[in-house]
Amino acid sequence: QICLSLVKLLFYLAHSPLGSIVLLDFQPRQFVMVDGNLKVTDMDDASTEELSCKEDNDCTLDFPTKSFPLKCSVVGKCKGINEKKNLFNAYRYFFTYLLPHSAPPALRPLLSDILNATGDLRYGINETLRAFEKVLHLYKSGLYLQKRPLLLKDYISLKGFRTVEGEDYKCWPSYSHLGCLLSIHSAEEAAAICNSQSQCQSFIVTQQRTWTGRPLASFQSSWTDLIPDTNAVVYIKRSASSGERL
């Protein structure tokens, strides 16, 4: 969410009515999340000026660990230097820390492609935004889910119940520090996640939604202490409930 919002912001800056705007003091502390959108808190160090040049050799974009040769345009300006400077700063301050983590395994290669392409400045802001929107579409639609055996049949579902909240086993990337709370596309995906975790014996699909509209599911190591909850469904492994009376 943070990276996509940042890319949308940089897309606007690259195509603003004032021209391509560069953020000269590009630091994480200069941004804040407001209602799920990333915003710049200080525009004092923003500029529409692009570096003047006479030849291509005048247009090297330098960073502490990398340098990029750019082209000198016919009007004597380093072509796209503001856009590329913003994009590489987004890569080194945000993408490298956020993109490799927390995505479903099937989407990680796509995010790695974005990471590598922006890190080498092979993508401009237009291509980067399209790549992010593709990943978001796959994520929201569930199209990233690979065909696999149906596992939900191995679970007993109880509508209108949930387990008592409490500290349980933890997983990454959990929405709760007390246990394992993950976003899912469907109960079938939740069953696959539960099967992949040795501690998991049950999971609860709640009415809570993430920013993409995906429901949250709580994965737990037991299924005892059920209490009524009209907005929840608890799924219990048949193997865990065998010999027990529901």
Side-chain angles (χ1 to χ4, degrees), residues 34-183:
V34 179
D35 297 327
N37 295 307
L38 204 68
K39 296 184 181 293
V40 184
T41 60
D42 186 359
M43 292 293 288
D44 289 346
D45 294 312
S47 173
T48 58
E49 290 294 319
E50 292 195 310
L51 186 65
S52 298
C53 58
K54 292 181 179 179
E55 57 183 25
D56 289 349
N57 288 339
D58 298 328
C59 293
T60 300
L61 182 57
D62 289 317
F63 292 96
T65 58
K66 278 189 176 183
S67 295
F68 301 95
L70 305 181
K71 296 290 184 181
C72 183
S73 71
V74 293
V75 296
K77 297 290 184 180
C78 294
K79 190 175 180 180
I81 191 168
N82 287 353
E83 172 187 329
K84 293 180 183 297
K85 190 170 186 177
N86 283 340
L87 190 54
F88 190 78
N89 278 327
Y91 158 80
R92 67 180 182 141
Y93 287 119
F94 287 88
F95 298 171
T96 54
Y97 297 104
L98 300 177
L99 285 188
H101 310 291
S102 77
L107 291 178
R108 288 174 193 166
L110 297 178
L111 294 177
S112 292
D113 288 345
I114 294 174
L115 193 65
N116 293 331
T118 54
D120 295 333
L121 286 184
R122 286 184 286 109
Y123 280 2
I125 192 61
N126 295 358
E127 296 88 348
T128 303
L129 180 58
R130 282 198 295 269
F132 266 101
E133 288 178 335
K134 177 184 177 182
V135 174
L136 179 63
H137 171 68
L138 294 173
Y139 185 61
K140 291 174 70 173
S141 65
L143 291 173
Y144 68 90
L145 294 169
Q146 300 169 344
K147 291 185 178 179
R148 63 183 75 185
L150 298 178
L151 302 173
L152 200 58
K153 58 179 174 39
D154 298 328
Y155 289 77
I156 298 169
S157 65
L158 294 174
K159 294 182 179 179
F161 288 93
R162 64 174 173 83
T163 56
V164 176
E165 291 184 9
E167 191 166 346
D168 207 319
Y169 78 89
K170 298 173 177 60
C171 67
W172 176 262
S174 177
Y175 282 80
S176 169
H177 67 280
L178 295 177
C180 185
L181 185 66
L182 303 174
S183 77

